[in-house]
Amino acid sequence: MKVCKRCEKEKRIWARGLCKSCDIATNPQKYMIERKKVEKKKTESVTQLKKKLDAIFSLYIRQKYADDSGNVECYTCGSVKPIKSMQNGHFWSRSHLSVRWDEDNCRCQCAGCNVFKHGNYIVYTTKLLNGIGQEGFDRLEQKKNTPFSPSKEWLIKQIKFYTLNTK
């Protein structure tokens, strides 16, 4: 142990006759570590991807049933409104992930039918049975009862598909 030239305390001497703390105080640049910000590629969570797919799939469904002027007829009440004021109504609830993004399960509905009349279920059921037939309806019901947990890869693939197929 030697005596530091600056603080005059008996300490282990580093460079130029100074202890470590005095050397840092007099020469801070020597000890500065350049920290490069490593930008992490933010990966989206499954929840974020589901929201993204919901939005693009809803637009796809509304465009699918729209006429050339951008108006859509409500599947259950028949009112005609622009695409932006319509919603993607699900026959089987969105909580059933296996049919959440199934085109047979979804039709355009006005907010009145989809939200306030809870999907206008009786009319929706009748029209859907006539539209896709009993076999299609049974297939949809069977698919609804099938457990499904979408992976990130599946969600990304679906987002790309529906993005390419929207106008």
Side-chain angles (χ1 to χ4, degrees):
M1 297 281 202
K2 294 183 179 181
V3 177
C4 174
K5 290 180 183 177
R6 184 166 179 252
C7 67
E8 299 177 359
K9 292 182 182 174
E10 193 172 305
K11 293 182 176 180
R12 185 170 171 221
I13 302 302
W14 285 71
R16 294 174 295 283
L18 302 172
C19 66
K20 185 177 180 181
S21 57
C22 290
D23 195 33
I24 290 171
T26 57
N27 246 344
Q29 269 61 8
K30 178 181 173 186
Y31 293 94
M32 290 285 192
I33 299 171
E34 258 187 63
R35 295 181 187 208
K36 295 179 182 175
K37 287 187 177 180
V38 179
E39 288 187 30
K40 292 181 181 177
K41 187 177 180 183
K42 291 184 180 180
T43 57
E44 293 177 301
S45 68
V46 171
T47 304
Q48 291 169 323
L49 290 170
K50 282 181 189 177
K51 285 182 182 179
K52 205 173 193 178
L53 181 54
D54 281 340
I56 195 69
F57 183 73
S58 174
L59 179 62
Y60 171 80
I61 290 296
R62 289 177 287 144
Q63 287 180 350
K64 179 179 176 180
Y65 294 103
D67 60 17
D68 293 334
S69 61
N71 291 319
V72 185
E73 182 181 342
C74 176
Y75 189 66
T76 50
C77 74
S79 65
V80 178
K81 295 181 182 175
I83 285 177
K84 287 191 176 191
S85 62
M86 296 298 265
Q87 298 178 353
N88 179 23
H90 294 75
F91 179 73
W92 295 113
S93 165
R94 292 173 61 226
S95 63
H96 300 286
L97 293 176
S98 55
V99 291
R100 183 172 181 165
W101 301 285
D102 189 313
E103 291 181 37
D104 284 341
N105 187 46
C106 299
R107 297 290 186 273
C108 294
Q109 286 188 300
C110 64
C113 290
N114 195 29
V115 178
F116 303 116
K117 293 181 182 174
H118 305 285
N120 205 349
Y121 190 72
I122 296 168
V123 177
Y124 203 133
T125 306
T126 307
K127 283 192 156 188
L128 192 63
L129 262 169
N130 292 335
I132 63 173
Q134 188 64 48
E135 284 182 27
F137 191 82
D138 292 342
R139 180 201 62 83
L140 196 61
E141 187 172 17
Q142 189 174 16
K143 187 176 179 183
K144 173 199 71 123
N145 295 322
T146 306
F148 178 67
S149 182
S151 66
K152 283 185 178 183
E153 293 76 24
W154 185 87
L155 290 165
I156 291 168
K157 182 181 168 190
Q158 295 301 308
I159 290 167
K160 286 179 183 175
F161 174 79
Y162 287 111
T163 302
L164 290 173
N165 289 297
T166 52
K167 300 170 191 169

